[in-house]
Amino acid sequence: MSQTLVLNATYEPLGVVSDRRALILVLNQRAVMVEESGTILRYANGQVSLPSVVRLTKFIKIPYRHSIPLSRRALFARDGGRCVYCGATATSIDHVIPKSRGGKHSWENVVSACHRCNHLKADKTLKEIGWKLKSIPREPSGAAWRILGTGRTDTRWHTYLKAFGGEELSA
């Protein structure tokens, strides 16, 4: 079963729900369908198209969210699935300042890396091997990261996520 992006009444991304939950929201007029998924649900008296994106009819106030949890999926999404050292496809995570040398497991110290670069760097610092980061790692910000951090995004969602911190998405 696929999933549906839920937007607030202001088009701010709130989260992802199952197709079933999204259809119930639409049928109960708590949300309107913004994008169709292309999947048709047939029943005894007809058929209905399942949504890919729904927008709530009433504004929901979102409580302040402190920080975005650091996960492998969220890290790969932040770095575009590419090794920050050479640009190849990322397969692992690397601590810029190795944990064995006091580096922390935080957004500012963890990057995505390919197996080759991660193996070559090992427990050395960038200065020791003469490497430089193309960009300084930082914690992602914006409402879109509630969805991007899961790593499960539908291409139809990109338009709605870009405006709320999902600039890193490649169309």
Side-chain angles (χ1 to χ4, degrees), residues 95-164:
H95 292 83
V96 178
I97 300 170
K99 287 177 79 174
S100 63
R101 298 196 180 189
K104 298 187 181 194
H105 187 71
S106 67
W107 281 107
E108 294 76 21
N109 191 46
V110 180
V111 295
S112 56
C114 67
H115 177 73
R116 182 181 161 275
C117 289
N118 201 354
H119 182 72
L120 287 172
K121 183 177 172 290
D123 68 342
K124 300 176 192 91
T125 64
L126 295 178
K127 195 173 192 176
E128 288 174 346
I129 56 177
W131 290 4
K132 290 186 179 181
L133 287 171
K134 294 175 185 172
S135 62
I136 297 170
R138 62 178 176 79
E139 181 177 348
S141 62
W145 281 95
R146 278 180 246 148
I147 289 86
L148 292 173
T150 67
R152 297 180 182 130
T153 60
D154 185 323
T155 55
R156 291 176 286 243
W157 301 354
H158 291 189
T159 305
Y160 307 99
L161 298 177
K162 281 183 184 180
F164 291 95

Side-chain angles (χ1 to χ4, degrees), residues 14-140:
L14 291 177
V16 178
V17 297
S18 69
D19 283 343
R20 182 177 188 269
R21 178 69 182 134
L23 187 58
I24 290 169
L25 287 170
V26 171
L27 293 175
N28 288 333
Q29 298 179 348
R30 292 187 177 154
V32 292
M33 189 181 321
V34 178
E35 296 268 346
E36 292 184 5
S37 68
T39 305
I40 305 292
L41 180 65
R42 290 173 174 65
Y43 58 97
N45 296 330
Q47 63 185 26
V48 64
S49 180
L50 293 177
S52 174
V53 180
V54 296
R55 181 180 55 85
L56 298 178
T57 54
K58 291 184 181 177
F59 178 78
I60 302 295
K61 185 173 180 179
I62 305 166
Y64 176 73
R65 306 226 180 200
H66 297 282
S67 64
I68 294 155
L70 175 58
S71 69
R72 184 181 178 94
R73 281 188 174 163
L75 182 67
F76 281 12
R78 179 196 73 182
D79 295 340
R82 295 282 172 197
C83 174
V84 298
Y85 303 120
C86 71
T89 302
T91 56
S92 61
I93 63 171
D94 181 56
H95 292 83
V96 178
I97 300 170
K99 287 177 79 174
S100 63
R101 298 196 180 189
K104 298 187 181 194
H105 187 71
S106 67
W107 281 107
E108 294 76 21
N109 191 46
V110 180
V111 295
S112 56
C114 67
H115 177 73
R116 182 181 161 275
C117 289
N118 201 354
H119 182 72
L120 287 172
K121 183 177 172 290
D123 68 342
K124 300 176 192 91
T125 64
L126 295 178
K127 195 173 192 176
E128 288 174 346
I129 56 177
W131 290 4
K132 290 186 179 181
L133 287 171
K134 294 175 185 172
S135 62
I136 297 170
R138 62 178 176 79
E139 181 177 348

